[in-house]
Amino acid sequence: MDFRPRLAWAQMWELMANHFAKIGCHKNAMVSMFAIDALRQLSFKFLEKPELSDFNFQRIFLRPFLLIMENASSRNDIRELILRCVDNMIRALAHNLRSGWK
């Protein structure tokens, strides 16, 4: 993947990330869990690709998880699900994490 598609993807992701953060805090647990699972699957695929130096796409990509955790209205079971997802990502893809650690 070259430079230009990554920038285009980052711009698209900014819009999608806000949607994931909003739906991840939905009052219906099944809707929230579906959003978190979709975000988890996308994150695994994205984190499999090496990050270019001097870029922070991983940090941007993982931001919806942070926004959901910080939201006071998010459910505790959803927060626990996010912690498990992030734990699995770290265990499986620690060798590829760069700006995602921040």
Side-chain angles (χ1 to χ4, degrees):
M1 185 185 300
D2 67 350
F3 181 73
R4 185 176 210 128
R6 289 182 192 232
L7 286 177
W9 177 249
Q11 291 170 346
M12 286 188 303
W13 183 249
E14 188 175 337
L15 296 172
M16 293 171 58
N18 292 331
H19 180 70
F20 274 110
K22 181 179 177 184
I23 301 303
C25 295
H26 196 276
K27 63 182 177 181
N28 183 330
M30 295 304 292
V31 172
S32 294
M33 287 182 187
F34 186 81
I36 300 303
D37 186 55
L39 185 57
R40 176 193 60 82
Q41 291 177 48
L42 287 169
S43 297
F44 263 95
K45 285 295 185 187
F46 185 80
L47 292 173
E48 287 174 353
K49 299 180 185 324
E51 185 172 54
L52 300 173
S53 59
D54 298 326
F55 286 90
N56 61 358
F57 293 133
Q58 290 179 355
R59 186 179 57 78
I60 292 168
F61 201 88
L62 296 173
R63 185 144 174 80
F65 288 121
L66 178 64
L67 294 174
I68 296 167
M69 292 293 283
E70 290 177 338
N71 190 320
S73 67
S74 64
R75 302 167 46 103
N76 286 336
D77 56 343
I78 298 302
R79 289 179 180 174
E80 185 176 327
L81 177 61
I82 290 172
L83 289 175
R84 281 186 272 147
C85 290
V86 171
D87 179 56
N88 287 337
M89 280 186 258
I90 291 170
R91 291 176 191 270
L93 301 166
H95 62 280
N96 260 8
L97 289 175
R98 296 183 68 135
S99 70
W101 283 115
K102 296 178 184 178

